[in-house]
């Protein structure tokens, strides 16, 4: 088989890029090692920046998001027994859209199917060949046969554990990493959320987040230790802990429904530089990870796709390499700002096991300053709704 762009990974990055390319008449094939059902069973991000909303609209897959998604104009920070709302819209003129990553993925998969573009699922042993030159190719195994795809360029959209970044010689890549000493225990439940906007809570017992997927589906998280055993977390225990970490006025309306998804996610900051190696471009989680506190993971994948798509259009349309040559530098500038924001939100809102009294006082002062100063609230709001691209 031959295509212009071979895309490894059918997550949000691969699907977004694939659809933009298809709409622009640039041929592409998506290869994923997982099944379609498995990909659609993953519960991940929930908050979309306007940039991501705009990209989804450009693909033509945004219709359901506008119908079912919830535009939010503010978020609340809870600490010290009180709740303070950050007026995102008032401070920045921008909103965020609450719409789950699972639904984004489903909408993009449906659009791709309707466009007739090829996706190969359950592809084993995906290997990238000759991407240091101009004629790369990919091999994979399916149903006992090895297949080959020749292409002009490869987009590595295969997430943190994917094969693309690992295929790059160690000497050609530099990585930066910070691992946090706790995780997030999250549940999904079909009960109305306790508040119509998100609440991020800092409490002596640990961080908590009240989010949602719709007006009848809630997504709750609590900070937990990394060695926590999920089987020891009954729904009752989860809700008791969540309630204790919220101010009384928020805890009171909490409706406890049975969870239908419960999982623990570790928290990590990670960046690989550069994001381009010859004919291979890393996109989204394949190149960088943020702790989820700033709701930036999926949104960063979207800005990478934007920069790469612009470069690919120039490359295939105008036969110019300037866009793809600038990709890594342009993307990384935005990546590091989101890394900084996600790290600072994580440091400000969590309880660290080894925090001394001085650091705790500084954290309290930071929260107090943030909600009292319009300048500080604006800085948070500007980052939360997403820096421009
Ligand atoms: P992915 O979604 O990881 O997609 C990569 C795809 O590549 C997958 O379909 C995978 O099957 C495929 N693949 C992997 N290896 C191979 C291979 N060798 N060959 C072929 N295909 C391969 N972000 C937030 O903003 N808020 C959150 O609450 C949040 N929660 C998260 C919870 C978890 C457990 C995780 C892992 C991430 C979370 N994120 C969150 C981050 C967000 O979901 C990611 O940033 C987003 O999924 C990135 O999209 P992606 O397409 O780059 O990668
Ligand atoms: C969700 C996850 C986040 O990490 C976040 O910051 C906000 C919302 C969510 O899953 O809804």
């Amino acid at each position: 088989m031959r295509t212009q762009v071979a895309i490894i990974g059918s997550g949000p990055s691969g699907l977004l890029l694939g659809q933009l390319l298809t709409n622009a008449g640039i041929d592409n094939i998506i290869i994923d090692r997982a099944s379609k059902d498995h990909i659609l069973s993953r519960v991940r991000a929930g908050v979309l920046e306007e940039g991501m909303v705009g990209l989804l609209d450009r693909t033509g897959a945004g219709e359901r998001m506008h119908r079912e998604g919830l535009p939010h104009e503010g978020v609340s920070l809870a600490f010290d027994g009180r709740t303070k709302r950050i007026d995102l819209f008032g401070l920045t003129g921008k909103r965020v859209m609450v719409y789950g990553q699972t639904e984004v993925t489903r909408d993009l998969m449906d659009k791709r199917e309707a466009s007739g573009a090829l996706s190969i699922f359950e592809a084993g042993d995906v290997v990238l060949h000759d991407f240091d030159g101009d004629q790369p190719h990919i091999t994979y195994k399916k149903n006992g046969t090895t297949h080959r795809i020749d292409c002009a360029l490869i987009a590595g959209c295969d997430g943190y554990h994917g094969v693309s970044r690992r295929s790059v010689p160690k000497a050609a890549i530099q990585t930066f990493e910070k691992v946090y000493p706790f995780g997030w225990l999250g549940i999904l439940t079909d009960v109305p959320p306790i508040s119509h906007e998100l609440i991020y809570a800092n409490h002596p017992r640990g961080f908590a987040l009240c989010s949602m997927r719709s007006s009848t589906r809630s997504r709750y998280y609590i900070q937990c230790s990394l060695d926590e055993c999920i089987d020891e977390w009954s729904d009752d225990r989860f809700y008791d802990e969540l309630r204790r970490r919220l101010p009384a006025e928020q805890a009171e309306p909490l409706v406890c429904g049975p969870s239908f998804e419960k999982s623990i996610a570790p928290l990590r900051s990670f960046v690989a530089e550069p994001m381009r190696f010859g004919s291979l471009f890393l996109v989204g989680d394949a190149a960088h990870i943020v702790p989820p506190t700033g709701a930036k993971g999926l949104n960063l994948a979207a800005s990478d796709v934007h920069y790469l798509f612009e470069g690919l259009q120039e490359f295939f349309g105008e036969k110019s390499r300037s866009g793809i040559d600038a990709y890594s530098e342009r993307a990384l500038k935005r990546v590091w700002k989101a890394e900084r924001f996600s790290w600072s939100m994580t440091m400000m809102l969590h309880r660290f096991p080894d925090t001394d009294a001085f650091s705790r006082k500084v954290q309290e002062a930071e929260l107090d300053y943030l909600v009292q100063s319009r300048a500080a609230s604006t800085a948070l709001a500007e980052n939360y709704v997403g820096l421009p691209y």
Side-chain angles (χ1 to χ4, degrees):
M1 274 185 287
R2 172 166 283 284
T3 189
Q4 288 172 294
V5 184
I7 299 175
I8 312 193
S10 182
S13 311
L15 288 163
L16 260 183
L17 180 65
Q19 200 56 45
L20 291 169
L21 291 173
T22 301
N23 293 356
I26 300 168
D27 192 55
N28 61 92
I29 298 176
I30 297 185
I31 308 118
D32 202 295
R33 70 173 171 199
S35 70
K36 192 174 165 180
D37 285 349
H38 177 79
I39 295 169
L40 286 173
S41 70
R42 294 193 294 230
V43 178
R44 292 183 175 178
V47 177
L48 312 184
E49 297 171 356
E50 281 186 4
M52 169 73 193
V53 169
L55 268 188
L56 205 57
D57 282 337
R58 264 182 91 179
T59 65
E63 191 264 331
R64 191 164 69 101
M65 167 188 66
H66 287 291
R67 202 161 16 94
E68 296 179 12
L70 306 170
H72 280 198
E73 298 192 349
V75 290
S76 289
L77 299 181
F79 59 98
D80 198 18
R82 59 200 162 114
T83 307
K84 175 78 171 101
R85 180 172 186 268
I86 307 283
D87 181 2
L88 298 174
F89 188 72
L91 293 166
T92 67
K94 291 183 180 172
R95 301 177 177 84
V96 291
M97 177 73 88
V98 173
Y99 189 65
Q101 177 171 332
T102 316
E103 306 314 313
V104 171
T105 308
R106 187 187 305 280
D107 295 344
L108 284 166
M109 281 183 172
D110 288 350
K111 182 76 189 168
R112 187 169 178 85
E113 233 168 84
S115 311
L118 179 61
S119 290
I120 298 155
F121 294 103
E122 298 176 83
D125 284 343
V126 176
V127 182
L128 288 67
H129 304 268
D130 301 336
F131 56 83
D132 52 348
D134 280 343
Q135 291 178 316
H137 70 276
I138 287 179
T139 54
Y140 65 92
K141 288 201 182 107
K142 181 138 184 170
N143 303 326
T145 312
T146 299
H147 302 265
R148 170 175 173 141
I149 303 176
D150 289 282
C151 55
L153 300 171
I154 303 172
C157 302
D158 49 349
Y160 181 68
H161 299 287
V163 63
S164 299
R165 191 185 65 254
R166 279 188 282 117
S167 306
V168 176
K170 280 209 166 34
I173 198 164
Q174 192 179 4
T175 58
F176 304 84
E177 185 170 37
K178 181 173 175 61
V179 177
Y180 300 86
F182 41 72
W184 279 16
L185 170 60
I187 65 161
L188 258 184
T189 173
D190 275 333
V191 293
I194 61 168
S195 155
H196 69 286
E197 290 179 346
L198 272 62
I199 303 171
Y200 291 81
N202 176 323
H203 188 272
R205 296 181 66 88
F207 170 80
L209 168 59
C210 303
S211 182
M212 66 198 72
R213 289 291 175 272
S214 69
S215 57
T216 55
R217 179 167 291 183
S218 300
R219 177 80 166 146
Y220 294 122
Y221 297 96
I222 53 173
Q223 174 185 345
C224 65
S225 69
L226 279 169
D227 53 14
E228 210 67 66
C229 172
I230 199 146
D231 295 337
E232 287 168 14
W233 281 89
S234 65
D235 288 352
D236 284 347
R237 182 175 172 210
F238 182 93
Y239 285 120
D240 281 348
E241 189 58 42
L242 176 62
R243 203 179 276 111
R244 292 167 84 165
R245 296 183 188 190
L246 298 173
E249 57 169 328
Q250 312 296 343
E252 199 252 326
L254 178 68
V255 184
C256 308
S259 66
F260 59 89
E261 201 271 344
K262 194 181 279 164
S263 52
I264 295 177
L267 271 71
R268 179 192 305 274
S269 297
F270 173 87
V271 182
E273 289 190 8
M275 288 169 61
R276 184 242 178 127
F277 309 88
S279 311
L280 168 65
F281 299 82
L282 299 181
V283 183
D285 277 17
H288 41 74
I289 295 288
V290 286
T293 327
K296 288 283 160 265
L298 174 58
N299 292 303
L300 262 192
S303 55
D304 289 354
V305 167
H306 165 84
Y307 295 129
L308 183 57
F309 173 62
E310 281 196 341
L312 295 178
Q313 265 187 311
E314 284 178 33
F315 180 76
F316 289 108
E318 299 155 30
K319 310 289 176 225
S320 159
R321 286 184 171 268
S322 62
I324 58 171
D325 286 347
Y327 167 69
S328 178
E329 203 183 326
R330 289 179 80 195
L332 280 166
K333 280 217 161 75
R334 193 170 188 278
V335 165
W336 274 111
K337 292 188 189 88
E339 290 282 346
R340 186 211 66 80
F341 176 65
S342 305
W343 164 83
S344 72
M345 287 283 279
T346 304
M347 300 301 286
M348 183 176 73
L349 289 168
H350 291 77
R351 293 295 162 137
F352 286 71
D354 54 357
T355 305
D356 57 21
F358 181 85
S359 306
R360 197 145 38 240
K361 286 285 182 191
V362 169
Q363 196 186 52
E364 282 167 22
E366 190 181 359
L367 277 162
D368 203 40
Y369 170 62
L370 179 66
V371 298
Q372 279 181 16
S373 154
R374 186 178 171 88
S377 297
T378 306
L380 183 144
E382 188 175 61
N383 282 276
Y384 192 83
V385 300
L387 298 175
Y389 52 94

